Amino acid sequence: MALRAIEERRMFSNFGPVNATFEEDMVARMFSGVGSCMTVCNATIGLMLAIQQAIGRRSTRPRYALMPSFTFAAAAQAALWCGLTPLLCEIDPVTWSACPQDEERLLALYGDDIAVVVPYATFGYDIDLMRYEAIMQRHKVPVVVDAAASLGTVSADGRGFGTGFKGTVVFSMHATKAFATGEAGVVYSNNQDRIHELRQMCNFGFGQARTATMPGLNGKLSEIGALLCQQRLNTFEETMIHRTAVMARYRAALPDLTFQPIQRGRQAHQFGVGLLPEGWGPHRSQFSAELTAAGIGNATYFSPHLAQQSYFVENAVFEDLSVTDDIAGRVISLPMFDTMTEADTDEVIAVVRQQMSAHTVSASMPAWSLPLDVTNAFRRHVAADQVH
Ligand SMILES: *Cc1c(COP(=O)(O)O)cnc(C)c1O
């Protein structure tokens, strides 16, 4: 029906009516009716647009995009496309988000050479946006939040993450996120004029009819893409309740893993992300391989972190990142998907527990190996819909 309606209207893109309705619904339901948003074809394009808009057409001298090294390549790539050099900071060992002290240190050190700050709301964690508004004011620097995994996160004040933020917030709806549609994103700001300008940039920089008046590209979401987003939104509350329950089950049954702190409000979970105990870093790849062998899909976001990826080693600036090295070295993403049953979750838990108890690892122990026949009992392919 809805597909036929699109066909009959003969309007397949260019912020058509399906898209317009979705954007309105999004602001109403996810952002308490506050601010404006715009869809994009994916969050990476959204970050490129938001960063380009933030830096405007100012100075041409070398400038930096300050971001944590513990994030996805997309943020650094977007900064590089905008002609900026990623300046990588440390993370907090508890929240795994940008370390406030290190951010302040780099803001003081690099001053006006920092063109934009790009914090990451790590795995949907509710980072302190008031602090970033204060940074915007104090340092006169724009802030673009990479909130790729945060659609569904509710802050302590009961509003969707990002609501009312004066900078720009970029969300992803990629298949790996809680709000998954395949490929899509949303750019939000409490500043309506900024969203208006971003929309023109997203449409070839056309400030006037077929006339480019600013930097631009084509980042538009098709009407069919918007329809998928709308349908996802309509049932999203159920999705969030389910994912919250899966995560609670992981937390309760896996006390040896360290998870991000539980906050007031609600965190959207794209995977079941935890840290292996201290000293397990050197054994993580084998642990991951054993899970895979037992049919448990798993991943290690974000390892390697940015400063460990060859392109960013050459094109980013960073110093010692030992906290990031440690966290990235021990992180493991367990399966999280919408059709996951309690039995599926328990199966994952059983394999993880079995792997962990079979081997008490100390930092000095050599890499261990496991008799595979034990884990084979669980081989029933708990697939993870989470591979980039
Ligand atoms: C998924 C993700 C992105 C990219 O989103 P796309 O919609 O796939 O372009 C950017 N940053 C982070 C931190 C992500 O997790």
Side-chain angles (χ1 to χ4, degrees):
M1 279 298 287
L3 281 175
R4 177 149 307 138
I6 290 173
E7 211 159 69
E8 282 167 2
R9 266 195 300 271
R10 299 190 194 288
M11 172 112 196
F12 298 97
S13 186
N14 291 20
F15 304 117
V18 179
N19 187 78
T21 304
F22 171 68
E23 288 179 357
E24 276 171 32
D25 259 29
M26 201 70 181
V27 171
R29 294 202 223 173
M30 303 291 256
F31 305 108
S32 304
V34 176
S36 310
C37 76
M38 168 187 85
T39 60
V40 275
C41 55
N42 62 61
T44 307
I45 294 286
L47 285 165
M48 285 167 59
L49 289 165
I51 292 171
Q52 183 65 56
Q53 192 280 333
I55 63 179
R57 279 157 276 182
R58 282 177 283 167
S59 131
T60 50
R61 65 203 163 109
R63 288 160 75 88
Y64 299 101
L66 175 58
M67 64 181 68
S69 189
F70 192 67
T71 188
F72 191 53
Q77 294 286 22
L80 285 159
W81 275 100
C82 294
L84 300 176
T85 300
L87 172 62
L88 308 179
C89 72
E90 265 288 24
I91 49 169
D92 178 278
V94 174
T95 68
W96 318 337
S97 303
C99 167
Q101 290 75 25
D102 205 34
E103 269 179 345
E104 288 295 344
R105 182 182 68 85
L106 291 167
L107 281 163
L109 192 62
Y110 286 87
D112 289 345
D113 284 338
I114 295 180
V116 62
V117 181
V118 189
Y120 169 40
T122 311
F123 304 123
Y125 194 79
D126 179 22
I127 58 171
D128 183 1
L129 293 183
M130 298 296 282
R131 191 171 69 80
Y132 285 106
E133 286 199 348
I135 285 177
M136 286 168 68
Q137 281 212 322
R138 207 160 359 101
H139 295 276
K140 304 275 172 279
V141 66
V143 174
V144 172
V145 180
D146 181 347
S150 301
L151 276 180
T153 292
V154 175
S155 298
D157 65 3
R159 304 195 298 180
F161 179 79
T163 303
F165 186 60
K166 296 196 182 81
T168 313
V169 192
V170 180
F171 300 91
S172 172
M173 300 187 232
H174 185 261
T176 51
K177 320 298 180 194
F179 195 113
T181 67
E183 292 280 5
V186 162
V187 183
Y188 171 89
S189 177
N190 196 23
N191 182 335
Q192 192 179 337
D193 294 342
R194 180 175 312 126
I195 295 297
H196 179 71
E197 185 180 342
L198 282 166
R199 198 183 294 284
Q200 294 175 334
M201 292 173 69
C202 188
N203 187 35
F204 312 102
F206 286 166
Q208 297 153 19
R210 283 173 298 288
T211 302
T213 59
M214 62 189 88
L217 46 70
N218 180 5
K220 299 185 300 282
L221 183 64
S222 71
E223 284 285 271
I224 287 177
L227 184 61
L228 291 176
C229 294
Q230 182 70 58
Q231 305 215 325
R232 188 72 171 156
L233 182 59
N234 294 345
T235 57
F236 190 54
E237 194 50 33
E238 289 157 43
T239 305
M240 282 304 301
I241 290 168
H242 175 252
R243 284 176 177 254
T244 303
V246 172
M247 195 62 191
R249 216 167 173 85
Y250 279 147
R251 281 182 191 274
L254 297 171
D256 290 341
L257 294 188
T258 305
F259 298 95
Q260 285 170 294
I262 296 177
Q263 296 172 289
R264 287 178 59 205
R266 176 180 73 184
Q267 182 174 352
H269 294 291
Q270 60 176 147
F271 322 115
V273 190
L275 294 188
L276 292 166
E278 274 172 39
W280 277 64
H283 311 277
R284 196 261 315 268
S285 66
Q286 179 153 9
F287 181 82
S288 166
E290 301 285 13
L291 290 193
T292 305
I296 308 295
N298 66 94
T300 56
Y301 295 107
F302 296 97
S303 176
H305 61 82
L306 298 185
Q308 294 172 330
Q309 300 177 31
S310 59
Y311 187 60
F312 304 129
V313 167
E314 283 176 25
N315 293 289
V317 169
F318 53 90
E319 303 165 32
D320 175 70
L321 295 168
S322 46
V323 176
T324 308
D325 292 340
D326 174 46
I327 300 294
R330 292 189 285 131
V331 76
I332 186 96
S333 304
L334 300 175
M336 173 84 69
F337 50 93
D338 294 339
T339 53
M340 195 167 185
T341 62
E342 286 189 354
D344 290 333
T345 313
D346 289 345
E347 195 177 313
V348 176
I349 288 166
V351 174
V352 171
R353 288 173 69 119
Q354 197 270 333
Q355 298 279 356
M356 292 188 73
S357 64
H359 297 268
T360 316
V361 174
S362 76
S364 59
M365 253 179 106
W368 36 268
S369 69
L370 241 212
L372 262 183
D373 51 337
V374 185
T375 55
N376 273 346
F378 301 102
R379 191 192 288 276
R380 220 200 48 191
H381 289 279
V382 177
D385 60 346
Q386 59 189 37
V387 180
H388 253 287

